[in-house]
Amino acid sequence: MKTKGKALILGGGIAGLFTATVLSKHYEEVIIADRDEFPAGPENRAGTPQAYHPHRFLARGKMIIERWFPGITEELLQQGAHPREMKSVKMTNRYGTLEMPDEPNAGCSRSLFEWTLRNRVIQMPNVTLLPKLAAQELLHDADRNAVTGVIFRDKSVRESTLVQMDANLVVDASGRASKLANWLQQLGYPVPEAEKLRVSLGYSTRHYKVPVEIHSAWSTIVNEGDPSLSIGTAVFNPIENQIAEVVLYHAGGASYPTTDQHLYDQEAQDLFGPSIGDIFQRLEPISSPRGYRIEECVRQHFEQMEDWPSGLLVLGDAFCSFDPIFGQGMTVAAIQADTLDQCLQSKQNGVLLEEDFERFALLKMQSAMEPAWWLSAAADLRWPGVTYEGHLSAQGFSFAQSLFDICQELAYARHDMAVFEQYMMVTGLFASPQALFNAEYITSLVNADPSGKAKAWLHQVLQEMNLPLEELLARIIPVFNNEFLPLSMGLPE
């Protein structure tokens, strides 16, 4: 049974479309308002400057999307997306190379995926998309205890026309440009200090036409950079219509990948090195390189607020933004929307009181995204120049980096596929980081290293800290809530 009333979503991107899908099950009317015009075909929107660059789902996100939109992978393939199944994936880092067949999936651009998803969403009878509306401020009751709607500027007319829209629930899914923290402060709510990862990252993407023989044989090729040597990452990623995206990445602000079309191919070839062989020489450039830079990633802590207005929620990059290179953003948005669905079910079933709903949902979504934030922060902090502002343990990040090095050396240099699979389960957000960061697994991991370096490292750490391993982990590693993976979803075979 649907809740009587209207839900209003700010932002018609991926997170907004996910949110609409969930809310359509629970509200009589769902409206998505976006400042952009929605393109009629698979084209980039003006308000998504990062849309030209690669986007991907982690394994957990792929599973959620296929569950919400059955058959969407096949639909993407019918529209020209790259069939990845059984094509070769090659991943290289400073420890070695792994090559294996890819899983059933479709490689495509952000624009094709968003357009396909949007076409699915607008077929829902109670969902409406309204373009050219820029949110200006929140509507509220006299006591400012409840959000009752939004005031928009109508961009479809020349005059500065304001439009007022009432709603029973407002969800901010407007992305990195969200004004929610400012709006809350204007309403008199103290907003907690956000965690910040000052990454100063840059990436540069160019599109290439791919010959048939490469298209039929290859999926993704990744040469992971070495932050300690200031060597960037390069990724070859086939998308639709025999086109591939090549992206170059660097963090820390010391340098950025080139956008000069005369220098790009050579820089890409240098970063790929022998991992891509002669493939690069057979690609035909069909665009100029485009750059994109992000100064910081931000994790808001709205769930810590003592007071929170009813009728208001936040989701996606407006709640927590990530380094795009790890592909976590869309997957986390899907997880958050899935979590919101569970909270709405609890409210509908009487398990959750009406007045507890928003705070409970914020807490659950924060818990669900914490593993992704912690994992990406640990990885980004390898780059000189990247800094972190927040409550998480610097010793925990350092310990994690060393443990991930051990995992990667065992996987890439010694081809220990059991370690590789466990590592990928955690980084793919199927399993909690606690699957790696527990005393029993760490002990088995260091014992599996025949060189003895891992065991010597752990011995030195425990001596310096003068703590047993269990106590050390409890002190420096966050306590992750395993409930973020509902058992009903299952795990991959």
Side-chain angles (χ1 to χ4, degrees):
M1 184 178 68
K2 289 183 171 65
T3 300
K4 288 184 178 180
K6 179 195 299 181
L8 173 60
I9 300 164
L10 307 182
I14 301 295
L17 294 170
F18 291 166
T19 306
T21 305
V22 166
L23 295 182
S24 68
K25 297 166 49 182
H26 300 278
Y27 284 82
E28 287 182 324
E29 183 180 6
V30 177
I31 294 176
I32 303 174
D34 195 280
R35 64 185 296 116
D36 287 341
E37 187 71 71
F38 295 110
E43 302 166 6
N44 294 328
R45 291 184 294 116
T48 54
Q50 79 281 19
Y52 179 83
H53 306 278
H55 286 67
R56 67 186 177 99
F57 280 103
L58 301 180
R60 173 93 177 276
K62 295 173 189 174
M63 183 186 65
I64 295 173
I65 293 305
E66 192 64 41
R67 178 162 53 83
W68 284 352
F69 301 96
I72 195 167
T73 300
E74 184 58 35
E75 186 176 346
L76 289 166
L77 292 172
Q78 290 173 2
Q79 294 174 125
H82 180 66
R84 294 183 179 275
E85 185 172 11
M86 299 307 294
K87 293 182 173 64
S88 293
V89 176
K90 182 185 283 189
M91 297 175 289
T92 300
N93 61 24
R94 62 188 182 278
Y95 297 111
T97 297
L98 286 177
E99 187 173 331
M100 63 193 73
D102 206 344
E103 299 175 350
N105 197 22
C108 67
S109 63
R110 156 75 180 258
S111 57
L112 177 59
F113 178 76
E114 185 176 303
W115 178 72
T116 304
L117 193 66
R118 188 166 59 245
N119 284 342
R120 288 280 194 109
V121 171
I122 61 177
Q123 293 174 26
M124 299 172 182
N126 59 335
V127 177
T128 303
L129 274 68
L130 297 179
K132 310 289 280 186
L133 291 176
Q136 301 298 295
E137 60 180 289
L138 299 174
L139 292 169
H140 53 82
D141 64 357
D143 296 326
R144 303 190 175 196
N145 293 327
V147 169
T148 60
V150 177
I151 296 176
F152 296 93
R153 180 171 59 86
D154 188 349
K155 296 176 62 183
S156 65
V157 295
R158 288 187 177 181
E159 297 79 11
S160 183
T161 303
L162 296 181
V163 177
Q164 179 173 311
M165 196 176 301
D166 297 329
N168 301 92
L169 177 67
V170 174
V171 181
D172 182 5
S174 60
R176 290 178 182 268
S178 168
K179 302 173 183 176
L180 185 56
N182 290 336
W183 287 342
L184 287 167
Q185 289 172 336
Q186 289 168 9
L187 292 177
Y189 289 89
V191 175
E193 196 73 26
E195 282 180 76
K196 293 182 179 179
L197 195 63
R198 301 194 184 277
V199 287
S200 298
L201 66 86
Y203 46 105
S204 181
T205 301
R206 193 174 198 181
H207 290 173
Y208 295 82
K209 194 70 176 179
V210 180
V212 173
E213 64 274 15
I214 296 175
H215 182 266
S216 61
W218 283 97
S219 183
T220 304
I221 301 173
V222 180
N223 198 333
E224 187 179 335
D226 187 343
S228 66
L229 300 176
S230 197
I231 297 173
T233 292
V235 182
F236 166 87
N237 181 54
I239 52 173
E240 64 268 18
N241 302 325
Q242 277 188 240
I243 295 171
E245 305 163 319
V246 172
V247 62
L248 313 180
Y249 166 91
H250 199 284
S255 64
Y256 294 102
T258 186
T259 56
D260 186 317
Q261 61 180 345
H262 303 294
L263 302 177
Y264 187 89
D265 285 9
Q266 186 58 56
E267 184 171 323
Q269 184 67 73
D270 291 344
L271 287 177
F272 277 116
S275 67
I276 203 168
D278 67 345
I279 290 176
F280 203 84
Q281 279 72 39
R282 291 186 279 162
L283 304 180
E284 177 191 350
I286 58 173
S287 73
S288 297
R290 296 189 194 176
Y292 189 65
R293 296 182 184 181
I294 295 172
E295 289 305 312
E296 61 184 19
C297 300
V298 179
R299 180 190 182 190
Q300 299 286 357
H301 280 284
F302 298 128
E303 82 290 348
Q304 295 178 358
M305 292 170 58
E306 293 184 10
D307 295 308
W308 178 266
S310 63
L312 177 67
L313 284 175
V314 57
L315 189 148
D317 283 353
F319 203 169
C320 182
S321 59
F322 296 89
D323 180 339
I325 197 68
F326 303 117
Q328 295 168 316
M330 295 196 302
T331 294
V332 169
I335 293 170
Q336 290 173 330
D338 216 39
T339 304
L340 175 58
D341 186 31
Q342 296 168 46
C343 295
L344 287 163
Q345 289 283 3
S346 296
K347 185 177 76 166
Q348 184 174 313
N349 296 336
V351 177
L352 187 63
L353 296 176
E354 183 78 30
E355 56 267 27
D356 295 334
F357 167 65
E358 287 88 355
R359 287 288 303 279
F360 182 80
L362 289 171
L363 283 165
K364 283 292 186 180
M365 287 192 285
Q366 183 69 265
S367 177
M369 69 192 180
E370 181 167 27
W373 173 258
W374 186 76
L375 290 167
S376 62
D380 278 330
L381 285 166
R382 293 179 182 273
W383 289 93
V386 175
T387 59
Y388 167 76
E389 298 173 14
H391 66 280
L392 295 172
S393 166
Q395 291 175 321
F397 288 136
S398 178
F399 187 94
Q401 291 163 357
S402 296
L403 195 71
F404 292 149
D405 286 344
I406 294 167
C407 289
Q408 291 192 333
E409 185 164 8
L410 289 171
Y412 284 80
R414 306 189 185 278
H415 289 195
D416 187 328
M417 298 313 293
V419 171
F420 177 75
E421 289 168 8
Q422 184 80 326
Y423 176 78
M424 293 301 291
M425 286 284 285
V426 170
T427 57
L429 304 183
F430 266 118
S432 166
Q434 287 172 336
L436 292 179
F437 292 89
N438 66 81
E440 181 179 357
Y441 187 77
I442 291 171
T443 301
S444 68
L445 196 66
V446 299
N447 287 337
D449 176 16
S451 72
K453 292 186 298 183
K455 191 179 292 186
W457 161 77
L458 183 59
H459 177 74
Q460 180 180 349
V461 169
L462 296 179
Q463 271 199 327
E464 290 175 355
M465 298 299 295
N466 194 27
L467 288 171
L469 182 55
E470 292 87 348
E471 283 189 40
L472 175 63
L473 294 173
R475 180 175 296 187
I476 66 174
I477 305 298
V479 177
F480 298 101
N481 185 353
N482 292 329
E483 290 181 6
F484 80 90
L485 178 57
L487 295 177
S488 61
M489 290 169 58
L491 291 172
E493 296 294 333

